[in-house]
Amino acid sequence: MAFSAKIIQPLSLLSPRSDNKTNNINNLSSPFVGSINKLRLSTPIISSCRTHFGSVAAVKSDVIKDSKKPKSDTSSNLLITKEEGLEVYEDMILGRAFEDMCAQMYYRGKMFGFVHLYNGQEAVSSGFIKLLKKEDSVVSTYRDHVHALSKGVPASQVMSELFGKATGCCRGQGGSMHMFSKEHNVLGGFAFIGEGIPVATGAAFTSKYRREVLKEADCDHVTMAFFGDGTCNNGQFFECLNMAALWKLPIIFVVENNLWAIGMSHLRATSDPQIWKKGPAFGMPGVHVDGMDVLKVREVAKEAVGRARRGEGPTLIECETYRFRGHSLADPDELRDPAEKAHYAARDPITSLKKYMVDNKLATEAELKDIEKKIDEVIEEAVEFAEESPAPSRSQLLENVFADPKGFGIGPDGKYRCEDPKFTEGTAQV
Amino acid sequence: MLGFIRQTVCNRGVSVSKSQLRFLVPGGRNYASGAKEMTVRDALNSALDEEMSADSKVFIMGEEVGEYQGAYKITKGLLDKYGPDRVIDTPITEAGFTGIAVGAAYHSLKPVVEFMTFNFSMQAIDHIINSAAKSNYMSAGQISVPIVFRGPNGAAAGVGAQHSQCYAAWFGACPGLKVLAPYSSEDARGLLKAAIRDPDPVVFLENELLYGESFPVSAEVLDSSFCLPIGKAKIEREGKDVTITTFSKMVGFALKAAEILEKEGISAEVINLRSIRPLDRATINSSVRKTNRLVTVEEGFPQHGVGAEICASVVEESFEYLDAPVERIAGADVCMPYAANLERLAVPQIEDIVRAAKRACYRSTSMAATG
């Protein structure tokens, strides 16, 4: 491995994993995990790394040899139904169109500060989040616009938050990197990498606590934590893998490995770049999946969510994906090899899904075009809404610091306790 | 205008050994036989017990809180009573478990996170500030974080530099946090109950050397719904010549200093701040307007300390009332040494407070005087 080489070979050319020439969704003989064979996490497939837990499967792509399947001709072999396919397609188009519009608005000066775009990674967001219920939680990093959109936060609210208006999902107080929505259980939006992972683990802890201590028997909410390859070298990540596996928390750790942390290549920063291997070291399954293929992602996600809901504990899923743009809109993106970018651009998740749906007669070109038009309108409306919304008023500056407005603690009668004269001096005489 | 800051180098004076200090219960008067005494440790334990039984969403998380009965025995008996689901022993992962507690608080559980000492909170400070304190603001009120971070703060006895820092000033600077520093058992009980019931993140700074001290408690304090208001200071001793503001262990020292000053004809008013954030500026200022002189006492580092903030507040609001420069007593501007005599020099002692009060009253003599 050339540590100092500026041009880093894309991971695919080093490992037998992604066979770029023939890789399209129809190729079910690819060595990837996300095939129509159910992911057998219960059979002990011991990979080259040793684990103490025989029942934990580290699924390695070159260990599973899928039998060659013919091109799907019966509908039962399809990975997705028409409704699901259209839902996922629409979500991915929404994510892409939204981020493209963000770039436009940024260069026109409507958006400012740090903006991190998600182009190219839509398969991960749509593949995972579309399987969740409203009560399930999602925790993300600063690259969180599309996670919020997939979870259900309206595009108009996200757009106006980015414009810094009072109608944003956080009233303009959070910004691009801090998307919160209590209604849709989007728990942020964190600027520090690794910061969201313990918070997500805590949300999963709550789910378990509610079931076991508060006796809410049907509480099976799961939490998904999204983070990148750079985060996987951070201490908090390992602390949470340990505790999540120790306490069998219903959490899914999703690594969006896009190979680059700003300008630091994953290979230059990591002693063992295969992140999925870190799962079995802590006693949970570690899975690698092609993150540019939304159907494969969805397969893997379904297994992991099922595991979590049944109380079997956490899963670590590494999605090999790529961001088409720079780290943020301020990043000149000079260090990445154009050949690598072209390689992944050819594997655009949206075009792949479109091809799959059309080839398998799940939808016509016209239907998909309609969806794209519809999303264009949604985005236009979102921009208009954001433009016309008012900026936050001056009085909003000091609001929301505390849940109880003055921060003095509210007594049982609803008044500020410190205003009760009985409490002025305390009671014991000294 | 503001040239008044003195160092606290205690080079002479009556040296009071640590064992003697333990018997210097503030006041030391006789009480009516009805008054019960309670140690701070028992006060904290009973507060946790009552809050946990009142609300099943309250749980305790930290190192050694369960089977070890608490590193300082504050959580003694709680594991047996509430089980391992609610009294959770964690691995040594401050950043991880603090973040987990914050995530649980996002979903309206009420965690009480124990740090074995607040020095270890530095490993988790990202979560205390960035994901707990700032969340209500960043989410515009959608997500409040009803969490309590508690543990011993400040200097203990001979524990060295990395176990002796006082964090009142650092946490007190952050909007979004409430910072409390109890002194007596009544403070400990009332403020901890208020903190657990509070919907916002609270940093609860205890003091290891106070855990074993007993204080009288009235029946009202022992009531299970007893609560003290956050943001309200207590005037421990009324006086008219000089105001001494202080918190935590230094309250005891200040009260003893006030006794000594009484004999010299100086009547000191001692204010127990109880709440570092929000600071009770109203009480402090009205006291200064009465006495016209101020001495701030704290154990932490002098620069950017709590005393600095109080001084600025008084200068801003009650400048015309000051008859003397504000005297600021703080720990020495070094990290805590290990040797017992050096440690004594690095922390304010009673005679430092006495000398400062006298300086504020223009009654001082030269530095070589014995307090």
Side-chain angles (χ1 to χ4, degrees):
Chain A
M1 206 178 310
F3 287 101
S4 55
K6 201 164 156 206
I7 297 178
I8 306 290
Q9 298 296 342
L11 204 57
S12 57
L13 298 180
L14 288 176
S15 80
R17 283 205 196 110
S18 58
D19 182 1
N20 50 322
K21 297 269 186 315
T22 56
N23 183 44
N24 60 49
I25 295 177
N26 282 338
N27 184 359
L28 298 169
S29 64
S30 82
F32 276 94
V33 168
S35 71
I36 60 173
N37 288 326
K38 270 259 186 241
L39 182 64
R40 290 194 189 85
L41 290 173
S42 52
T43 58
I45 300 166
I46 311 296
S47 74
S48 54
C49 73
R50 292 180 343 108
T51 97
H52 296 285
F53 301 87
S55 61
V56 167
V59 183
K60 195 172 178 209
S61 51
D62 44 311
V63 170
I64 287 191
K65 302 258 183 288
D66 289 343
S67 54
K68 278 203 182 291
K69 291 254 184 236
K71 278 211 176 132
S72 48
D73 44 11
T74 60
S75 53
S76 59
N77 270 348
L78 290 176
L79 292 166
I80 205 163
T81 66
K82 176 173 180 164
E83 294 75 34
E84 290 170 350
L86 291 177
E87 187 194 2
V88 169
Y89 186 78
E90 183 173 333
D91 194 54
M92 292 208 289
I93 291 284
L94 174 64
R96 180 69 61 89
F98 189 91
E99 298 292 72
D100 283 339
M101 183 58 74
C102 282
Q104 263 195 58
M105 292 293 118
Y106 189 84
Y107 293 127
R108 283 198 212 163
K110 310 271 188 210
M111 237 177 255
F112 38 91
F114 286 132
V115 179
H116 306 82
L117 298 182
Y118 199 73
N119 298 50
Q121 301 182 196
E122 294 86 1
V124 178
S125 180
S126 303
F128 276 96
I129 299 182
K130 280 308 177 197
L131 293 172
L132 293 179
K133 303 186 291 198
K134 196 170 185 193
E135 300 81 24
D136 296 322
S137 305
V138 164
V139 180
S140 177
T141 58
Y142 42 78
R143 207 179 296 282
D144 56 351
H145 307 165
V146 179
H147 294 138
L149 292 172
S150 291
K151 192 70 175 52
V153 182
S156 53
Q157 281 186 21
V158 181
M159 189 62 82
S160 69
E161 178 67 27
L162 293 171
F163 279 36
K165 300 293 176 89
T167 49
C169 56
C170 298
R171 298 170 73 200
Q173 290 177 206
S176 163
M177 299 187 285
H178 304 294
M179 292 284 164
F180 289 86
S181 166
K182 191 179 169 102
E183 188 193 337
H184 298 279
N185 284 305
V186 176
L187 303 180
F190 289 99
F192 281 50
I193 59 153
E195 191 181 350
I197 304 176
V199 172
T201 312
F205 177 89
T206 306
S207 172
K208 183 165 183 258
Y209 189 91
R210 276 159 109 184
R211 196 174 52 236
E212 295 181 359
V213 178
L214 299 179
K215 308 289 184 222
E216 293 173 26
D218 52 355
C219 184
D220 63 349
H221 306 157
V222 305
T223 307
M224 282 184 180
F226 292 90
F227 47 94
D229 43 287
T231 310
C232 296
N233 296 325
N234 190 273
Q236 290 180 84
F237 170 60
F238 299 111
E239 293 184 12
C240 290
L241 286 184
N242 179 40
M243 285 192 272
L246 180 68
W247 295 327
K248 287 205 160 164
L249 300 180
I251 182 171
I252 298 142
F253 295 105
V254 181
V255 184
E256 295 171 317
N257 183 355
N258 57 21
L259 303 176
W260 291 89
I262 306 188
M264 189 66 167
S265 149
H266 177 56
L267 302 172
R268 280 180 71 211
T270 315
S271 56
D272 185 348
Q274 295 178 312
I275 300 172
W276 58 267
K277 276 196 204 165
K278 300 180 185 184
F282 288 94
M284 70 179 82
V287 180
H288 178 280
V289 70
D290 175 9
M292 304 305 272
D293 176 347
V294 69
L295 298 176
K296 289 178 184 154
V297 168
R298 211 177 140 92
E299 282 291 300
V300 168
K302 266 195 212 148
E303 274 283 339
V305 171
R307 246 178 76 80
R309 286 212 206 281
R310 289 189 299 270
E312 292 168 24
T315 317
L316 174 67
I317 301 175
E318 178 186 354
C319 304
E320 182 194 337
T321 180
Y322 202 76
R323 52 170 164 83
F324 294 157
R325 289 182 182 263
H327 166 74
S328 70
L329 287 174
D331 175 17
D333 196 16
E334 289 160 346
L335 289 176
R336 301 196 297 176
D337 179 16
E340 182 189 72
K341 292 189 210 178
H343 162 69
Y344 281 99
R347 291 165 59 186
D348 188 332
I350 293 179
T351 34
S352 300
L353 181 63
K354 189 170 189 172
K355 187 169 191 313
Y356 181 86
M357 304 244 298
V358 167
D359 286 353
N360 288 294
K361 312 271 190 299
L362 285 174
T364 60
E365 287 263 3
E367 278 175 323
L368 298 179
K369 264 271 170 318
D370 280 342
I371 291 182
E372 285 163 32
K373 256 199 242 116
K374 175 175 147 204
I375 294 295
D376 278 340
E377 275 166 34
V378 166
I379 302 289
E380 290 278 338
E381 278 170 21
V383 172
E384 258 183 59
F385 176 77
E387 287 259 5
E388 287 162 13
S389 297
S393 60
R394 287 183 63 171
S395 58
Q396 203 183 306
L397 177 67
L398 299 177
E399 283 175 16
N400 297 130
V401 178
F402 289 128
D404 94 63
K406 282 197 197 155
F408 289 129
I410 297 181
D413 55 0
K415 296 204 297 220
Y416 291 110
R417 211 174 280 122
C418 62
E419 287 167 9
D420 179 349
K422 231 177 59 145
F423 282 114
T424 314
E425 301 287 338
T427 50
Q429 291 307 304
V430 176
Chain B
M1 186 170 85
L2 289 174
F4 47 75
I5 298 162
R6 309 290 161 100
Q7 279 285 34
T8 69
V9 180
C10 153
N11 44 17
R12 217 71 46 100
V14 176
S15 98
V16 181
S17 76
K18 287 231 173 342
S19 54
Q20 280 179 287
L21 279 179
R22 284 193 178 272
F23 295 108
L24 296 175
V25 175
R29 306 186 191 130
N30 288 327
Y31 296 94
S33 53
K36 209 182 148 220
E37 293 236 329
M38 192 183 222
T39 58
V40 172
R41 178 177 285 120
D42 289 337
L44 293 167
N45 186 285
S46 61
L48 285 169
D49 194 352
E50 287 163 19
E51 292 303 308
M52 284 183 79
S53 71
D55 186 350
S56 53
K57 294 212 201 106
V58 179
F59 68 94
I60 299 182
M61 199 176 220
E63 293 158 8
E64 312 294 1
V65 294
E67 294 194 4
Y68 197 79
Q69 310 297 324
Y72 294 99
K73 307 294 181 248
I74 305 295
T75 51
K76 187 170 182 181
L78 296 180
L79 175 67
D80 288 332
K81 205 166 166 188
Y82 298 103
D85 282 334
R86 294 185 66 194
V87 180
I88 300 163
D89 279 326
T90 62
I92 307 177
T93 48
E94 270 79 11
F97 70 71
T98 307
I100 288 182
V102 172
Y106 275 20
H107 275 305
S108 319
L109 292 188
K110 292 176 171 242
V112 177
V113 176
E114 172 169 315
F115 291 116
M116 205 179 276
T117 79
F118 258 94
N119 299 276
F120 305 159
S121 74
M122 293 201 286
Q123 299 222 326
I125 205 165
D126 174 34
H127 282 292
I128 299 176
I129 310 288
N130 275 329
S131 36
K134 296 183 183 171
S135 286
N136 201 61
Y137 192 83
M138 287 199 294
S139 70
Q142 292 177 76
I143 295 184
S144 84
V145 190
I147 192 172
V148 176
F149 304 102
R150 51 160 291 271
N153 176 55
V159 291
Q162 292 186 351
H163 283 73
S164 306
Q165 190 168 333
C166 174
Y167 289 86
W170 282 18
F171 287 125
C174 294
L177 281 183
K178 298 181 189 176
V179 182
L180 303 176
Y183 162 62
S184 61
S185 304
E186 174 192 334
D187 288 357
R189 252 182 80 80
L191 292 176
L192 186 56
K193 278 161 158 303
I196 294 175
R197 296 178 196 183
D198 197 274
D200 289 309
V202 180
V203 171
F204 194 81
L205 304 171
E206 302 157 4
N207 188 296
E208 193 213 326
L209 297 176
L210 285 177
Y211 283 154
E213 283 206 29
S214 275
F215 296 88
V217 285
S218 66
E220 194 171 0
V221 174
L222 294 171
D223 184 66
S224 67
S225 57
F226 172 68
C227 242
L228 284 179
I230 295 179
K232 201 89 187 95
K234 178 180 176 191
I235 298 180
E236 296 278 350
R237 181 197 171 107
E238 297 234 356
K240 51 182 182 46
D241 291 329
V242 59
T243 299
I244 303 178
T245 63
T246 178
F247 60 95
S248 190
K249 189 158 122 259
M250 292 289 128
V251 176
F253 284 30
L255 288 168
K256 197 74 190 91
E259 302 244 308
I260 296 174
L261 288 165
E262 186 76 49
K263 296 196 189 81
E264 314 219 0
I266 300 175
S267 156
E269 177 150 297
V270 176
I271 299 183
N272 172 5
L273 290 173
R274 281 180 169 171
S275 170
I276 308 293
R277 187 174 183 102
L279 199 55
D280 190 353
R281 297 168 205 272
T283 301
I284 298 169
N285 276 286
S286 68
S287 171
V288 170
R289 288 174 187 215
K290 184 173 75 168
T291 64
N292 308 123
R293 292 159 209 278
L294 177 62
V295 174
T296 70
V297 183
E298 63 188 301
E299 214 180 30
F301 301 138
Q303 187 166 342
H304 308 300
V306 175
E309 173 62 29
I310 294 177
C311 173
S313 171
V314 163
V315 163
E316 281 165 13
E317 295 179 30
S318 314
F319 181 61
E320 308 82 37
Y321 292 84
L322 281 173
D323 283 348
V326 175
E327 294 284 335
R328 182 172 62 156
I329 304 272
D333 201 12
V334 294
C335 54
M336 189 65 65
Y338 168 69
N341 63 327
L342 290 180
E343 188 178 30
R344 215 163 30 242
L345 292 176
V347 179
Q349 304 297 331
I350 298 174
E351 54 272 17
D352 294 312
I353 306 176
V354 170
R355 270 206 299 273
K358 281 180 168 173
R359 276 198 301 269
C361 296
Y362 296 134
R363 304 261 207 99
S364 72
T365 47
S366 65
M367 283 280 274
T370 58

